[in-house]
């Protein structure tokens, strides 16, 4: 979809070149090859493909070509309880901004509503700063939600001790481990997005061939400071994720030790009865119990006692109780 965002009007699909006349923000959303070709014709600039935007080298993400500034970064999009990462590109020209994206982002939709609901005109530089500010705000919201999720996860990991059935404990620990891993993935993706946004802010601010106004430079400096503070918060989140991962793995080790403890008890209580049965199975003539009327029952009682006594001792020591 190829649309134009202009003040006081709803987003307008660009069908002909005239539809883009005087528009400061042109937006390519999951464009077709024909729409990319049309955008290239209107702007006179090369339109990067998705493969171009997914390049990880700084020289491929931030560069100038003719009089246009090419910028790209991966952005995180949260969808209910899940998330994914999609690249976003900016082509900042003297009189307009072209954005290329392959999925909807709430920050872009927010700025689009702000522009269409305003009576004031916007330059391409102003739109780019507005988008950067909105994206950083959205990253902050995601991190805030992630922090709350980790607080809940921490309470679940270190919940009050309660007797648990083995099957339920195993399932609970698997679920906790998946949640910790998913939180770590989200934190890592947000860090990548913030790194890309920080590079964009620095590159645009220091670009001498495309100077921003003093007011926009100040706002860009504020965006850069916000990104630095969010990076510090991401570092804190990452440390907490690692702590919860270690704690979850520790509880898994405890559950495994409990299983080994049960196996040890079972194997031990089988040793004494086997010894008793072996002794009375040797059939020596001078074994007194062989000629005793109650010798057989005595041996059975002795084997039973050799099972019960260790079990009582293990129970007293707490070895037979499930881990809490």
């Amino acid at each position: 979809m190829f649309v134009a965002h202009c003040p006081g009007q709803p987003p307008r699909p660009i069908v002909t070149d005239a539809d883009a006349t005087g528009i400061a923000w042109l937006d390519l959303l999951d464009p077709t090859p024909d729409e990319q070709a049309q955008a290239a014709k209107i702007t006179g600039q090369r339109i990067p493909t998705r493969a171009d935007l997914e390049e990880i080298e700084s020289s491929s993400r931030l560069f100038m070509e003719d009089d246009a500034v090419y910028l790209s970064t991966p952005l995180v999009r949260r969808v209910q309880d899940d998330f994914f990462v999609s690249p976003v590109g900016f082509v900042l020209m003297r009189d307009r901004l072209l954005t290329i994206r392959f999925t909807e982002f709430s920050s872009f939709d927010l700025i689009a509503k702000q522009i269409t609901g305003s009576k004031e005109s916007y330059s391409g530089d102003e739109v780019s700063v507005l988008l950067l500010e909105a994206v950083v705000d959205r990253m902050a919201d995601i991190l805030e939600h992630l922090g709350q999720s980790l607080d809940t996860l921490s309470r679940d990991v270190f919940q009050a001790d309660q007797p648990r059935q083995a099957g339920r404990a195993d399932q609970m620990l698997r679920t906790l481990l998946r949640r910790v891993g998913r939180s770590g993935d989200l934190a890592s993706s947000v860090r990548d997005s913030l790194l890309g946004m920080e590079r964009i802010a620095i590159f645009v601010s220091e670009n001498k061939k495309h100077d921003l106004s003093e007011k926009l430079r100040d706002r860009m400096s504020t965006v850069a400071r916000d990104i630095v503070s969010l990076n510090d918060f991401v570092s804190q989140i990452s440390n907490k994720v690692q702590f919860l991962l270690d704690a979850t793995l520790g509880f898994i080790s405890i559950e495994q030790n409990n299983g080994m403890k049960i196996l040890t008890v079972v194997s031990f209580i089988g040793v004494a009865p086997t010894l008793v049965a072996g002794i009375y199975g040797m059939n020596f003539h001078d074994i007194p119990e062989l000629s005793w009327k109650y010798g057989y029952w005595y041996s059975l009682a002795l084997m039973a006692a050799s099972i019960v006594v260790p079990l009582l001792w293990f129970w007293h020591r707490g070895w037979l109780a499930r881990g809490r």
Side-chain angles (χ1 to χ4, degrees):
M1 184 169 56
F2 189 21
V3 299
H5 300 285
C6 53
Q9 300 179 21
R12 183 173 67 233
I14 298 177
V15 180
T16 64
D17 295 355
D19 294 328
T21 303
I23 303 300
W25 180 15
L26 304 177
D27 189 18
L28 282 170
L29 174 58
D30 197 15
T32 64
D34 291 339
E35 291 171 339
Q36 288 181 323
Q38 186 181 21
K41 179 183 176 182
I42 291 174
T43 61
Q45 302 293 334
R46 180 180 62 86
I47 306 302
T49 64
R50 180 164 189 157
D52 296 332
L53 299 179
E54 289 177 339
E55 294 286 345
I56 62 174
E57 310 96 304
S58 294
S59 58
S60 298
R61 289 186 174 182
L62 311 168
F63 63 93
M64 286 200 67
E65 193 171 287
D66 297 330
D67 291 332
V69 181
Y70 285 78
L71 312 166
S72 65
T73 182
L75 281 187
V76 176
R77 180 187 176 189
R78 293 197 77 253
V79 181
Q80 294 181 350
D81 295 331
D82 201 1
F83 73 94
F84 63 91
V85 179
S86 180
V88 172
F90 302 85
V91 182
L92 185 57
M93 294 160 278
R94 291 293 178 185
D95 57 344
R96 64 177 56 174
L97 170 69
L98 173 68
T99 56
I100 307 101
R101 52 198 175 109
F102 300 91
T103 186
E104 295 182 353
F105 290 99
S106 58
S107 52
F108 281 69
D109 297 337
L110 178 64
I111 300 303
K113 290 181 180 179
Q114 178 179 335
I115 291 176
T116 56
S118 174
K119 298 297 180 63
E120 300 178 0
S121 61
Y122 291 84
S123 66
D125 291 343
E126 289 176 319
V127 174
S128 63
V129 174
L130 282 172
L131 286 173
L132 292 179
E133 291 172 338
V135 169
V136 172
D137 287 343
R138 179 56 180 164
M139 292 296 105
D141 292 339
I142 292 176
L143 286 176
E144 181 181 354
H145 184 272
L146 178 57
Q148 295 172 352
S149 298
L150 286 178
D151 290 339
T152 302
L153 179 57
S154 180
R155 288 192 294 270
D156 292 340
V157 171
F158 300 104
Q159 62 182 342
D161 290 348
Q162 298 177 3
R164 297 194 301 257
Q165 297 181 2
R168 293 182 179 178
D170 293 346
Q171 183 62 37
M172 184 195 68
L173 290 172
R174 289 191 183 96
T175 301
L176 290 176
L177 194 57
R178 292 190 187 99
R179 290 169 61 188
V180 171
R182 200 61 177 164
S183 298
D185 289 341
L186 179 55
S188 177
S189 297
V190 171
R191 182 191 293 274
D192 291 341
S193 297
L194 290 174
L195 178 60
M197 297 298 298
E198 183 178 25
R199 289 175 175 173
I200 288 176
I202 294 174
F203 186 83
V204 173
S205 298
E206 298 180 352
N207 194 307
K208 300 303 181 182
K209 295 183 179 181
H210 190 101
D211 288 334
L212 297 176
S213 66
E214 183 177 355
K215 182 179 180 180
L216 291 180
R217 281 200 301 268
D218 292 340
R219 290 171 60 182
M220 192 68 77
S221 298
T222 302
V223 169
R225 289 194 298 269
D226 289 341
I227 292 174
V228 171
S229 64
L230 291 179
N231 277 326
D232 293 337
F233 188 76
V234 170
S235 298
Q236 178 183 350
I237 288 290
S238 299
N239 292 334
K240 189 168 186 178
V241 168
Q242 184 61 48
F243 171 71
L244 292 176
L245 176 61
D246 294 339
T248 304
L249 293 176
F251 283 120
I252 290 175
S253 297
I254 291 174
E255 291 293 330
Q256 291 176 337
N257 291 337
N258 287 335
M260 294 302 298
K261 189 184 298 183
I262 296 298
L263 291 177
T264 301
V265 170
V266 171
S267 61
F268 179 81
I269 63 177
V271 172
T274 302
L275 176 63
V276 173
I279 292 175
Y280 287 98
M282 290 185 290
N283 297 323
F284 290 119
H285 186 271
D286 57 351
I287 295 180
E289 291 83 3
L290 292 178
S291 57
W292 184 27
K293 179 179 180 181
Y294 301 103
Y296 174 71
W297 302 108
Y298 165 76
S299 63
L300 290 181
L302 187 59
M303 285 187 282
S306 65
I307 294 175
V308 173
V309 171
L311 282 176
L312 292 176
W313 186 75
F314 289 139
W315 183 269
H316 178 71
R317 295 297 299 269
W319 286 17
L320 297 182
R322 288 296 305 165
R324 294 173 179 260

